[in-house]
Amino acid sequence: MRTAVRTLLAAVVGALAGIIAYSISQTGGQRLSIVVGGLIGVAAVLGADQYRRSVQLTEVRLVLPGSEMTFAANTDMRQAALRMFFQASTRVATRPLDDDSGNLREALNSLKALFDLYREPLESGSAPPPPARGDSVHELVLDILNFELAPFLAKWHPRLEAFRAAHPDESESTWQENAAFREELRALQQNLRPYILGLGKIAGLRDPERHLRRSAWHAGHIASAVPAHRPPGDDLSDGGEAGSSTPGRRPGEDGPAG
């Protein structure tokens, strides 16, 4: 149906352009032909831009914590969603922070940077107006800011800064709230996950979840880096064989007679 309508409109515009061109050729108006040609060119460019913005509308329905949102995703919306998906998928907002590693201050700075990136289009006015139908991707981002990132940052940023000010020479591992911070960070990551996956779906990614999980190579690499546990006395340094209960022979010792 849409293809038929666009074809009909193109035929009408083409017919009008033909009538105008014929009229100009009959009157010999050179200046008029230049003006009309320029207007036709401007109209063609504006029409092509509008077509680019509106084509390939894809409806995406997301079930999020406490709400359900529907997006009529066009090219511009998909590009914005893709940019915000990768901004989150490369930060601690989605990347695991192991209990025995990671810098808590850097983790907070990463979350604050993501907060600023998401908020900037909303405050600067560069965000497009709401679509004629469906929800806006920036409404989704507003929920991320208000319900997830802002409360976490408001709670933990001053607490960690107070510890660092009181104990400038101590490691973060001695902070009595270290474990609680990490636990709530994991909860935040779980809460953010459906939103970030939703951005990936709006962007048209085939499998956005695969960008948020650790690769099989990473898991195998970590496992191979951990030395295998050996029972006491099972040492290969004296020439014994792994798993054998018979100790290795020392130099000069003969084995049992045959």
Side-chain angles (χ1 to χ4, degrees):
M1 180 64 182
R2 292 178 180 175
T3 303
V5 171
R6 289 198 296 266
T7 302
L8 179 60
L9 289 175
V12 172
V13 172
L16 290 175
I19 293 173
I20 293 173
Y22 177 79
S23 300
I24 292 173
S25 66
Q26 294 298 311
T27 58
Q30 184 177 8
R31 291 183 179 180
L32 181 60
S33 64
I34 294 174
V35 172
V36 172
L39 292 175
I40 293 175
V42 170
V45 170
L46 293 177
D49 183 68
Q50 183 62 31
Y51 175 77
R52 182 187 66 82
R53 292 172 180 272
S54 61
V55 295
Q56 297 180 345
L57 287 176
T58 304
E59 183 171 286
V60 180
R61 189 179 300 258
L62 301 178
V63 179
L64 299 167
S67 66
E68 181 175 325
M69 306 181 78
T70 303
F71 303 87
N74 59 11
T75 301
D76 288 344
M77 184 181 292
R78 282 191 289 270
Q79 289 176 345
L82 183 64
R83 181 176 65 254
M84 291 184 283
F85 174 83
F86 284 120
Q87 286 170 343
S89 64
T90 56
R91 287 177 165 82
V92 75
T94 58
R95 311 314 302 167
L97 187 69
D98 296 331
D99 287 338
D100 57 349
S101 66
N103 184 291
L104 304 189
R105 188 180 189 184
E106 290 300 321
L108 278 174
N109 289 342
S110 176
L111 292 173
K112 180 60 168 61
L114 182 65
F115 183 94
D116 292 339
L117 285 170
Y118 279 6
R119 184 176 61 177
E120 191 277 331
L122 304 177
E123 291 193 340
S124 66
S126 61
R133 63 186 182 90
D135 295 298
S136 166
V137 69
H138 294 284
E139 294 179 79
L140 175 64
V141 169
L142 189 60
D143 287 349
I144 294 176
L145 295 177
N146 289 339
F147 302 144
E148 303 299 342
L149 289 177
F152 185 89
L153 291 169
K155 176 179 179 178
W156 288 108
H157 185 267
R159 293 188 183 191
L160 181 57
E161 288 304 306
F163 166 77
R164 293 177 62 87
H167 310 279
D169 298 325
E170 291 189 20
S171 168
E172 292 175 345
S173 61
T174 64
W175 183 32
Q176 62 180 2
E177 296 192 273
N178 184 298
F181 174 92
R182 292 175 182 272
E183 183 178 354
E184 291 200 17
L185 176 61
R186 286 191 288 268
L188 174 67
Q189 292 170 333
Q190 285 298 112
N191 292 343
L192 288 174
R193 193 176 184 84
Y195 292 103
I196 306 307
L197 289 175
L199 288 171
K201 292 177 182 177
I202 295 170
L205 294 177
R206 184 181 60 180
D207 182 15
E209 189 169 0
R210 74 183 181 90
H211 299 287
L212 303 187
R213 58 177 177 255
R214 291 187 176 184
S215 65
W217 176 89
H218 183 276
H221 182 70
I222 295 299
S224 64
V226 178
H229 175 71
R230 289 177 183 157
D234 191 11
D235 190 357
L236 301 184
S237 61
D238 60 356
E241 294 181 356
S244 172
S245 59
T246 303
R249 301 190 186 113
R250 292 177 181 166
E253 289 187 348
D254 294 330

